Amino acid sequence: MDQPLIASLRRAIAANPQDLPLRLHLAELLVDSGDHAAAVGEIAAVLAIQPVDRAAQQLMTRALGLAAAPQSEPAQSEPAQSEPAPSEPAPSEPAPPTPAAGAEHPPVQFDWSAAEDQIGEQIPPMFIGESATNEVPAAAAFDLERPRLRLSDVGGMQQAKLRLEASFLAPLRNPELRSMYRKSLRGGLLMYGPPGCGKTYLARALAGELEAGFISVQITDILDPMLGTSERNVSELFLAARRAAPCVLFFDEVDALGQRRSQTRNSALRGTINQLLTELDGVDQDNEGVFVLAATNQPWDVDPALRRPGRLDRTVLILPPDAEAREAIFRHHLQRRPIAGIDLGRLAKRAEGMSGADIAYATELAAENALLASVASGDPRPIRMDDLTSALDSIRPSIGPWLETARNLVTFGQDDGTYAELRGYLKKAGRM
């Protein structure tokens, strides 16, 4: 058999393990070349994904049958006296069946249970039986938290807090008015803005304010290479949130999971997005008490269907921290460290244009500088203003590239008014 062809097929399968017809073709070539063990391994991989594949089953029968067939050995002469007479067959061994006319060998018989055991030795099981999945509750796959943060712990962000108050907090705190105005306890809100500005922190604070459960979802919690598993993960996620209601369901980096389907060539991801839309609509289940929050740095990449009324229909821009918020961030990161002579107002003014993550990094650098100086002198000293100002001078604000991208989108893109608040901020910041 052409070994270069087999090697080429192996490389192609390594690049695309889900190409089952190509894997079967390789298995057939391996059978023809006499490498039955390798052929069984390839066929087993196909049967693990498609257990009812008739062609794979027939090829497995052929591969195992040839592997089980005894090798022909040259006949050895026996003494004449030890051979029974032709007319007297041995009584303890029945005569072998006569092969059909034209057949070279009788059909090989083998036990399928033994074949299954051999498959199990080749590859581990790739899926769980139905009886096993029923024993695990849907909520077990997702961590439910009970945050103790409150919105008062979040410095600044007054505009974002007002939007959260109107969307979630006021209806929950006033059940009589909610009933009068028939305001449901469901809905979604999309937070967008530059990275490191507190979107996740704000979502946790909202859950704490609502005294609700909190489930944070990453794309790795949903996507799975097995066909249909990602859609099932989305369904189980919403089932867990409904069981824990009131519950804040937070999708971080939602543009990765809910990206525009027009830009998605992966059919599996398209199915996942469709399942997410179905769950947001609450077609089969009631989402009352499930508050859906999502955060993204790239709202222009989110599928428009996700922002349709009834889904993530409200948006709020999370801007870089203002002076009040910057001062609160410095206070938070310095409160458990030895400090002396710190002027938070001066620091907040000097950190203008920086994100919360930038400020947190500056305090880390200042603490590191003070620690090294203490080691060198042998005398521990507190963190001083010069440590913090030096750290701030060494950091380049991380939100600059995002603001440039946003400016180009607002200036040259097709804006239907969604980014009016962003446009106003860019003008005020002198970016337009």
Side-chain angles (χ1 to χ4, degrees):
M1 185 54 60
D2 191 357
Q3 293 301 325
L5 176 58
I6 292 178
S8 298
L9 289 175
R10 289 187 186 275
R11 289 193 296 270
I13 291 172
N16 187 10
Q18 300 298 322
D19 193 336
L20 303 187
L22 188 63
R23 194 180 286 273
L24 279 181
H25 181 51
L26 172 60
E28 189 171 2
L29 293 179
L30 291 171
V31 170
D32 293 339
S33 67
D35 193 351
H36 305 135
V40 168
E42 298 296 337
I43 304 168
V46 175
L47 290 174
I49 300 175
Q50 295 288 348
V52 295
D53 190 312
R54 186 63 179 169
Q57 291 178 350
Q58 292 176 350
L59 190 57
M60 178 64 81
T61 301
R62 180 183 168 197
L64 291 175
L66 292 177
Q71 300 293 328
S72 59
E73 297 180 1
Q76 298 181 358
S77 58
E78 297 289 341
Q81 62 271 17
S82 64
E83 295 182 359
S87 59
E88 300 177 0
S92 60
E93 296 184 4
T98 304
E104 298 180 359
H105 300 285
V108 179
Q109 302 292 329
F110 60 92
D111 186 3
W112 264 105
S113 61
E116 291 174 356
D117 293 339
Q118 189 168 350
I119 294 173
E121 296 174 0
Q122 296 286 339
I123 59 172
M126 298 180 65
F127 53 87
I128 302 175
E130 184 177 347
S131 60
T133 57
N134 292 336
E135 299 174 0
V136 181
F142 303 98
D143 295 329
L144 179 67
E145 305 176 33
R146 295 287 178 180
R148 296 182 179 181
L149 286 174
R150 295 293 187 270
L151 290 179
S152 57
D153 298 324
V154 181
M157 297 190 183
Q158 295 304 322
Q159 190 66 27
K161 291 177 182 178
L162 289 175
R163 294 295 298 275
L164 294 176
E165 177 76 25
S167 300
F168 303 110
L169 296 173
L172 186 65
R173 290 170 177 166
N174 300 275
E176 296 84 2
L177 293 177
R178 184 177 75 243
S179 177
M180 177 187 300
Y181 291 104
R182 302 181 65 83
K183 179 71 172 70
S184 66
L185 286 180
R186 56 180 295 179
L189 185 142
L190 176 65
M191 298 182 291
Y192 75 97
C197 290
K199 294 183 285 294
T200 303
Y201 192 73
L202 189 61
R204 291 182 185 275
L206 174 65
E209 196 75 34
L210 292 170
E211 296 182 355
F214 182 79
I215 300 178
S216 180
V217 186
Q218 306 285 339
I219 188 172
T220 52
D221 298 325
I222 298 297
L223 294 188
D224 192 281
M226 295 298 293
L227 188 64
T229 304
S230 300
E231 291 86 341
R232 186 182 65 188
N233 290 341
V234 173
S235 178
E236 292 183 352
L237 169 65
F238 275 84
L239 178 59
R242 294 180 190 116
R243 288 176 176 174
C247 180
V248 173
L249 193 54
F250 177 63
F251 291 90
D252 198 9
E253 303 296 342
V254 71
D255 55 284
L257 181 62
Q259 61 183 274
R260 290 177 178 267
R261 285 170 290 179
S262 59
Q263 301 174 357
T264 304
R265 296 182 179 180
N266 188 334
S267 59
L269 184 57
R270 291 175 65 90
T272 306
I273 299 172
N274 291 336
Q275 183 66 34
L276 178 59
L277 297 176
T278 301
E279 297 293 340
L280 285 172
D281 290 337
V283 174
D284 299 324
Q285 299 286 340
D286 186 8
N287 286 336
E288 187 77 4
V290 177
F291 306 97
V292 182
L293 293 183
T296 179
N297 302 329
Q298 300 175 323
W300 37 83
D301 288 340
V302 177
D303 195 297
L306 273 173
R307 301 175 59 182
R308 196 205 72 183
R311 295 169 181 167
L312 299 176
D313 49 2
R314 287 155 286 187
T315 60
V316 58
L317 173 61
I318 305 299
L319 294 169
D322 54 19
E324 177 187 354
R326 293 195 298 272
E327 187 172 336
I329 295 170
F330 273 114
R331 183 181 298 108
H332 172 75
H333 288 285
L334 292 173
Q335 62 183 351
R336 296 185 179 179
R337 289 181 163 126
I339 58 176
I342 301 299
D343 187 341
L344 293 178
R346 284 179 52 198
L347 289 175
K349 185 175 181 180
R350 191 151 187 166
E352 184 176 1
M354 290 188 175
S355 67
D358 294 335
I359 295 174
Y361 181 54
T363 59
E364 286 291 329
L365 290 180
E368 180 181 292
N369 185 57
L371 185 150
L372 292 177
S374 299
V375 170
S377 65
D379 184 19
R381 70 166 179 83
I383 301 172
R384 303 184 305 229
M385 275 292 291
D386 59 328
D387 296 317
L388 288 162
T389 54
S390 297
L392 290 172
D393 290 340
S394 67
I395 296 176
R396 183 178 180 181
S398 60
I399 64 175
W402 187 90
L403 292 175
E404 283 300 311
T405 301
R407 181 186 67 83
N408 292 335
L409 176 84
V410 170
T411 304
F412 305 108
Q414 296 181 353
D415 183 11
D416 58 357
T418 302
Y419 305 114
E421 189 178 2
L422 176 59
R423 182 187 295 273
Y425 169 76
L426 292 173
K427 288 182 177 180
K428 185 178 179 180
R431 294 275 181 170
M432 291 185 65

